[in-house]
């Protein structure tokens, strides 16, 4: 009984828990309800006219006029909403009003029509019956999408109709009443089916929309939803003259987790990151997942630049806290790039592009921190573009040169080898530092072309050195991204005649972990190792590589980044880091080179570490090939080491 009562209640009222359905119902009704009132008015006036001379004037003029005013009022209210996108709350109120009015307006019209019945002749009486029958059918059609209102009207009009005519003792009217009641019942049955289909259709559409706009892993809006939200937020900010901020987040150290513990763990981590970001951002920030380990934020009405960076710092701090994935505790980080409209970016697509650039910049320079797109970045973009153009036009054979920086054994002061460093003199731009043009060449997809030229030049030089000296050569992650490139490197070594065992290839930790599939780098590094070359991990300590990840690479050396060495004799924290990185390299059975030693104090501080190699301005700046002979004459050179 309780169940059936509940069911009756649900049929008779507006379902509140389905906002999408409410909105769809409202949209359909905003066209159909005015139409319904129009039918009602025309039919009503037609009936009033046929009774003009037999019924009292208040019934044929006044009453229809009052009803007309009510109907016109309702039409006007509905017409204002045509084409507008309502919210669920507004739709709910409008539908509930329609539902309630059905039980007031239906009796009013019914009562009026039945009251006229006694005045007319047989034709006029028949008109009353026809009016009621045809109008109720029209009304049911128009109210089809608010089941409760349609049912109310059917019950009121037909109930009164059937009772009234059944009591009229006129078999024709009784028959009409029964016919109409049957038709209405059939219509209700059809209406129920239609309403169910309509509800399902709306649900399916909502579901499809959800699927198309939501990221199933994190439950956040996806890339597509993000870009439409950005367009909306942008038009809004533009119209109101408000500041709009956009942030792009990229996780640091996500790939190692994915590679080492498998994709299910990676998925779990992403879901936890999504949750933590939602908690940190709160309700006023539109957070979405762009894909992979990239998330984005839309900040409406942002405050000062400092406030944006402050918010960014909170997010980076939150991401730095360890994540528990079952029993596994993982630590990652996140870097954010922000751009703000209107100061820096003139439109939505530039806003995204610039935030992405700020992210890229932060990733290169200060991982785990927020960066705000600035005039400096703008200038770098311009100069990057001119570098890229000049690179495309460059004659690499003549414009590129290699300089060499010695690597020295700290205990014996013996020079064990040289690192080859690229130099580019562009006829248009002059000297361009490798830290500027290598990243540009990487992004432009032309770095491998430079690598081949530089490697050939470096090997030609190496072939002239004493056999004991090794060559360290920097490879870009892109050089290891395809079998073709690796094969080409192997071929160049073969042609050079230099023993592969004298060559160390340097790969930077940050580059390969971020950009490329680990398996590819691993495969290429393994191929180079098989050939007899060494593989060094450059800039060690600046990235987020997990230790077991490093174990998976066939490394022979680790190069501790310069940033830890500067002023290390004065900075106990730096010293501790260098000491533990050194211990770690020994633990892994790897040689260790400390980069960027500039002063005697730094060198002295490193000595107690033991068997370590150093490189830096203290011994020598990178020198031209022609200067090597002279340098070697003034220093010690080791005897050949059998690899
Ligand atoms: P890197 O591989 O870490 O190279 C060491 C950089 O530190 C070099 O800068 C070197 O000149 C500089 N350096 C060495 N000792 C000191 C010192 O004591 N103090 C200071 N302040 N700096 C020192 P460089 O030559 O400008 O190269 C910058 C970066 O460009 C390199 O960093 C490397 O990542 C990239 N690079 C250079 N040549 C090549 C190349 O042929 N191929 C690739 N893929 N990258 C290259
Ligand atoms: Ca290097
Ligand atoms: Ca380095």
């Amino acid at each position: 009984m309780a169940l059936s009562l509940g069911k009756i209640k649900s049929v008779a009222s507006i379902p509140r828990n389905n906002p999408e359905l409410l909105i769809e119902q409202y949209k359909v009704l905003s066209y159909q309800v005015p139409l319904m009132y129009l039918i009602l008015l025309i039919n009503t006036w037609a009936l009033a006219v046929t009774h003009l001379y037999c019924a009292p004037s208040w019934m044929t003029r006044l009453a229809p006029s009052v009803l007309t005013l009510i109907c016109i009022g309702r039409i006007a209210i509905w017409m204002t909403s045509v084409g507008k996108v309502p919210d669920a709350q507004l739709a709910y109120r409008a539908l509930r009003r329609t539902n309630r009015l059905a039980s007031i307006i239906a009796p009013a019209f019914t009562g009026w029509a039945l009251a006229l019945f006694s005045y007319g002749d047989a034709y006029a009486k028949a008109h009353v019956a026809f009016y009621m029958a045809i109008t109720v059918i029209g009304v049911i059609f128009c109210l089809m999408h608010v089941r409760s209102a349609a049912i109310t009207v059917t019950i009121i009009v037909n109930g009164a109709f059937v009772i009234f005519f059944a009591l009229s003792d006129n078999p024709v009217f009784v028959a009409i009443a029964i016919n109409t009641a049957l038709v209405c019942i059939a219509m209700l049955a059809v209406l129920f089916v239609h309403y169910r289909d309509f509800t399902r259709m709306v649900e399916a559409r909502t579901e499809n929309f959800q699927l198309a706009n939501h990221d199933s892993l994190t439950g956040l809006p996806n890339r597509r939803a993000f870009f439409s939200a950005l367009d909306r937020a942008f038009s809004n900010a533009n119209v109101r003259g408000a500041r709009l901020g956009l942030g792009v987040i990229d996780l640091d150290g996500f790939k190692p987790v994915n590679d080492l513990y498998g994709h299910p763990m990676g998925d779990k981590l992403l879901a936890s990151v999504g949750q933590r970001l939602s908690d940190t951002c709160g309700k006023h920030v539109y957070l979405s997942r762009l894909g992979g380990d990239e998330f984005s934020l839309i900040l409406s009405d942002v405050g000062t630049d400092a406030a944006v960076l402050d918010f960014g710092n909170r997010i980076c701090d939150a991401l730095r806290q360890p994540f528990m994935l079952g029993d596994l505790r993982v630590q990652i980080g996140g870097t954010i790039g922000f751009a703000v409209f209107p100061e820096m970016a003139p439109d939505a697509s530039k806003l995204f592009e610039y935030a992405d650039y700020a992210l890229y910049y932060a990733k290169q320079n200060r991982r785990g921190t927020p960066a705000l797109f600035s005039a400096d970045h703008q200038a770098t973009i311009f100069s990057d573009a001119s570098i890229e153009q000049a690179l495309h036009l460059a004659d690499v054979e003549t414009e590129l040169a290699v300089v060499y920086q010695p690597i020295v054994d700290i205990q014996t002061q013996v020079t064990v080898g040289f690192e080859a460093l690229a130099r580019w003199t562009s006829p248009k731009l002059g000297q361009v530092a490798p830290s500027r043009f290598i990243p540009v060449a990487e992004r432009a997809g032309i770095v491998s072309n430079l690598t081949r030229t530089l490697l050939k030049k470096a090997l030609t030089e190496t072939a002239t050195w004493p056999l004991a000296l090794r060559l360290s050569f920097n490879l870009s992650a892109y050089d290891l991204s395809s079998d073709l490139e690796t094969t080409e490197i192997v071929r160049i070594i073969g042609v050079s005649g230099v023993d592969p065992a004298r060559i160390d290839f340097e790969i930077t930790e940050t580059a390969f972990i971020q950009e490329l599939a680990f398996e590819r780098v691993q495969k290429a590094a393994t191929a180079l190792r098989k050939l007899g070359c060494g593989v060094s991990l450059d800039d060690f300590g600046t990235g987020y590589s997990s230790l077991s990840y490093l174990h998976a690479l066939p490394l022979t050396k680790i190069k501790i980044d310069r940033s830890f060495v500067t002023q290390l004799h004065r900075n106990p924290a730096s010293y501790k880091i260098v000491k533990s990185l050194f211990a770690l390299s020994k633990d892994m059975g790897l040689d260790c080179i400390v980069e960027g030693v500039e002063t005697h104090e730094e060198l002295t501080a490193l000595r107690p570490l033991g068997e370590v190699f150093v490189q830096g301005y203290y011994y020598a700046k990178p020198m031209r090939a022609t200067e090597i002979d002279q340098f070697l004459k003034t220093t010690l050179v080791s005897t050949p080491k059998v690899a």
Side-chain angles (χ1 to χ4, degrees), residues 41 52 55 70 90 150 184 212 309 424 437 522 544 618:
L41 281 183
L52 211 53
I70 296 172
L90 185 132
C184 286
L309 287 173
W424 177 33
F437 73 82
Q522 194 183 30
Y544 267 87
Y618 175 73

Side-chain angles (χ1 to χ4, degrees), residues 419 474 506 538 559 595:
E419 175 176 4
N474 293 288
E506 300 190 1
D538 206 352
K559 296 188 77 171
E595 292 189 284

Side-chain angles (χ1 to χ4, degrees), residues 332-360:
I332 55 163
T335 307
I336 314 181
F338 285 108
V340 175
F341 165 84
E343 286 83 354
M344 281 325 295
D347 58 47
S349 79
K350 278 274 177 275
L351 196 59
F352 182 72
E353 190 187 319
Y354 289 170
D356 202 40
Y357 184 87
L359 168 69
Y360 164 81

Side-chain angles (χ1 to χ4, degrees), residues 1 25 78 129 150 161 176 178 193 199 259 272 276 354 399 422 454 519 591 599 614 627:
M1 185 67 183
Q25 284 176 307
W78 277 100
F161 195 49
I176 290 177
I178 292 170
V193 174
T199 315
D259 288 336
S272 311
R276 191 172 292 176
Y354 289 170
E399 293 176 30
L454 292 164
E519 291 77 26
D591 281 343
T599 64
V614 291
E627 297 167 313

Side-chain angles (χ1 to χ4, degrees), residues 9-30:
K9 210 172 157 207
S10 88
V11 168
S13 60
I14 304 294
R16 192 173 195 169
N17 53 1
N18 192 338
E20 285 79 18
L21 181 62
L22 284 171
I23 290 172
E24 285 310 312
Q25 284 176 307
Y26 182 86
K27 280 194 200 153
V28 179
L29 283 181
S30 64

